Amino acid sequence: MKLIPSSLLIAIFSVNTLLYAQTLSGESNDIMAQQLRKQSARWDMNLIEYWTNIGVTDTEEIEKWKLLYQNFLDNYKLPEYSIKNSYKPAYFIAKGFKPEDIQLWTDVGFQLNEISDFLEIGVDTHQEAKLWKDNMSIYEIKEWVKLGIKDSELAQNWKSVVGDIGNASFLIRNGITNTEEVKILKDKGFEIDEIALIIKNNLSLNAIKEWRENDIKDIKKIAILVNGGFDNPKKYLPYKNIYTDHAIKLYQWGIKPNKLIETMSNSNRALFKKELFFKDKERFV
């Protein structure tokens, strides 16, 4: 029996090891390639896996989506990696849109980003979105929607009455929603803050006129006095030379003012900067 030289054994072992290593390397590369493809399928619209992952298998529909998306990229000249997910076909498909639905929007001048922005604020038809877009920016539209105004005609009505969304916001947040009432008061020359006070305190124009005829012109003061119990200016006139909050307390306590009380009221604020004499009826009396 002849022995195989050790050098030959080593050579055979080396060859086998190399072949085994190449086999493992090939399998590893295949796994890596599969993983890379799986990752790419999340964003690469040229891969069929991208579309099957989001439930689209019809090749004609896929081509329509790709064309819509490419037109959007070409219009804004943006690299694909910079596009928000909410501007991509998968976003619209998840909301039940077909390419034909998006085409209705693009035919009247909307791009995918604008469509997405409108959908996010609850405007889901191209007709309604067109009414909004013809009159204001998407930023302003979002501000109106935050105020609870989701109708473009109502937003325009507010703008025509009060001038801008800032004034409308102030009134709406104060619970004022009747634009006709606001318009009447604005046409009478009242400022926005005065209008809010008049409506919130249910002050009539006749009552305001009567107060102003008796030299009480500030709407805020009129509102405070009315809420304090002075339902007409004649009842307030005997108290007009003392501080408003003191006048209300005295009126509610049933105490008529005099020169001494007027002096007490004025010195209370001027000298002491805090309430001393008018804390309660018992101490005052």
Side-chain angles (χ1 to χ4, degrees), residues 39-104:
Q39 291 292 326
S40 298
R42 295 180 180 179
W43 58 268
D44 189 349
M45 295 180 201
N46 291 316
L47 294 176
I48 192 63
E49 288 89 344
Y50 173 90
W51 299 100
T52 54
N53 284 344
I54 57 178
V56 180
T57 56
D58 182 81
T59 55
E60 186 177 347
E61 183 178 347
I62 290 172
E63 289 306 312
K64 288 179 180 178
W65 277 117
K66 288 170 71 173
L67 179 60
L68 284 169
Y69 188 65
Q70 189 59 53
N71 287 341
F72 167 64
L73 295 179
D74 292 345
N75 185 71
Y76 283 93
K77 295 179 174 58
L78 295 170
E80 204 282 335
Y81 65 81
S82 70
I83 306 301
K84 290 171 60 176
N85 286 334
S86 59
Y87 299 163
K88 296 180 179 180
Y91 171 83
F92 300 103
I93 292 166
K95 288 187 171 293
F97 281 81
K98 294 287 186 182
E100 294 76 15
D101 301 320
I102 298 298
Q103 194 70 50
L104 293 173

Side-chain angles (χ1 to χ4, degrees), residues 25 110 123 158 177 193 221 226 263:
S25 176
F110 290 101
V123 178
W158 269 110
T177 58
D193 58 336
K221 184 173 182 178
V226 170
T263 302

Side-chain angles (χ1 to χ4, degrees), residues 98-249:
K98 294 287 186 182
E100 294 76 15
D101 301 320
I102 298 298
Q103 194 70 50
L104 293 173
W105 290 72
T106 57
D107 285 348
V108 291
F110 290 101
Q111 293 292 331
L112 294 183
N113 59 323
E114 295 173 311
I115 301 170
S116 173
D117 288 342
F118 275 109
L119 294 177
E120 288 296 314
I121 61 175
V123 178
D124 54 11
T125 69
H126 66 281
Q127 297 97 327
E128 186 182 358
K130 185 77 165 58
L131 290 174
W132 278 107
K133 187 183 177 183
D134 286 346
N135 294 293
M136 60 191 78
S137 68
I138 188 65
Y139 170 79
E140 191 175 1
I141 295 167
K142 287 179 179 179
E143 293 303 306
W144 283 109
V145 172
K146 284 180 186 177
L147 288 174
I149 307 295
K150 296 185 177 181
D151 179 84
S152 60
E153 187 176 347
L154 180 56
Q156 284 301 307
N157 192 17
W158 269 110
K159 283 186 70 173
S160 67
V161 172
V162 299
D164 61 50
I165 193 170
N167 289 333
S169 175
F170 177 79
L171 293 172
I172 292 169
R173 294 187 192 284
N174 274 280
I176 297 163
T177 58
N178 188 331
T179 55
E180 287 301 316
E181 191 174 13
V182 172
K183 186 176 188 308
I184 290 169
L185 293 171
K186 198 162 187 307
D187 289 345
K188 292 287 183 182
F190 292 104
E191 300 295 331
I192 295 297
D193 58 336
E194 293 177 323
I195 292 171
L197 286 168
I198 291 168
I199 296 175
K200 284 184 70 175
N201 293 282
N202 199 28
L203 301 176
S204 70
L205 291 175
N206 287 336
I208 293 169
K209 180 182 178 183
E210 188 178 358
W211 279 98
R212 287 185 163 181
E213 286 173 349
N214 285 276
D215 207 32
I216 313 299
K217 302 189 182 298
D218 182 66
I219 296 296
K220 184 176 181 179
K221 184 173 182 178
I222 294 171
I224 291 171
L225 291 171
V226 170
N227 288 327
F230 292 106
D231 53 11
N232 70 70
K234 289 184 173 60
K235 292 180 180 180
Y236 171 69
L237 290 179
Y239 300 83
K240 70 177 184 177
N241 293 325
I242 61 177
Y243 279 97
T244 302
D245 52 347
H246 294 163
I248 291 171
K249 287 182 178 181

Side-chain angles (χ1 to χ4, degrees), residues 14-29:
S14 298
V15 170
N16 287 337
T17 302
L18 180 60
L19 290 172
Y20 179 66
Q22 287 177 335
T23 301
L24 287 179
S25 176
E27 290 175 355
S28 177
N29 286 338

Side-chain angles (χ1 to χ4, degrees), residues 225 228-230 235-236 238-266 275 277-285:
L225 291 171
F230 292 106
K235 292 180 180 180
Y236 171 69
Y239 300 83
K240 70 177 184 177
N241 293 325
I242 61 177
Y243 279 97
T244 302
D245 52 347
H246 294 163
I248 291 171
K249 287 182 178 181
L250 291 172
Y251 182 73
Q252 292 174 347
W253 296 342
I255 299 172
K256 294 282 186 180
N258 55 36
K259 289 295 182 182
L260 175 59
I261 291 175
E262 289 178 7
T263 302
M264 290 168 64
S265 177
N266 291 316
E275 195 65 81
F277 308 124
F278 298 85
K279 286 185 177 180
D280 54 61
K281 183 178 180 180
E282 289 71 24
R283 291 185 186 182
F284 183 81
V285 174

